Amino acid sequence: MGIYVPILVLGAIATAFAVGSVGIALLIGPRRFNRAKLQAYECGIEPAQHALGTGRFPIKFYVTAMLFIVFDIEIVFLYPWAVAFDQLGIFALVEMALFMAVVFVAYGYVWRRGGLEWD
């Protein structure tokens, strides 16, 4: 139990700081609410104007998110491979080359289809 005391103390300090910060902001913060402050705000875009009033996001946002996920997963696989490269041998080199080729084919497809243009 003694080895967990520093972790528990750090958790208690973090919790006290978070609760204390919110509490102090509620106590001494201004209370002047108006209609503009109570509305939703998302990255500078008014909530009803981002997609011609339909309430849906344009598909380009989803394509960008999917591309981020694909390349993020590629990096997640590349780091452990790079760390253990010496022990894995030539088979792992060939497998990683195939994996990266598949990812770059997908990237080329998206590029040719115009998925990276923001017009």
Side-chain angles (χ1 to χ4, degrees):
M1 181 67 184
I3 60 173
Y4 296 112
V5 171
I7 296 172
L8 294 174
V9 169
L10 182 63
I13 291 171
T15 303
F17 178 75
V19 171
S21 297
V22 172
I24 290 171
L26 289 174
L27 289 176
I28 65 173
R31 291 187 176 87
R32 293 183 302 267
F33 297 108
N34 57 27
R35 191 172 143 216
K37 286 185 180 180
L38 295 175
Q39 285 183 344
Y41 180 76
E42 181 74 28
C43 300
I45 301 171
E46 292 295 329
Q49 295 177 354
H50 62 23
L52 303 175
T54 62
R56 296 182 181 178
F57 285 100
I59 192 70
K60 63 184 174 184
F61 294 117
Y62 294 110
V63 171
T64 304
M66 293 295 284
L67 285 173
F68 173 76
I69 289 171
V70 165
F71 288 107
D72 193 42
I73 290 173
E74 179 186 14
I75 294 300
V76 166
F77 283 124
L78 276 174
Y79 271 116
W81 174 79
V83 169
F85 178 70
D86 291 339
Q87 293 89 17
L88 296 176
I90 193 74
F91 177 74
L93 179 64
V94 172
E95 289 295 321
M96 188 53 67
L98 288 173
F99 174 70
M100 289 182 66
V102 169
V103 170
F104 282 120
V105 166
Y107 175 70
Y109 174 77
V110 170
W111 190 359
R112 296 274 290 163
R113 296 282 304 209
L116 302 176
E117 296 175 9
W118 284 91
D119 295 338

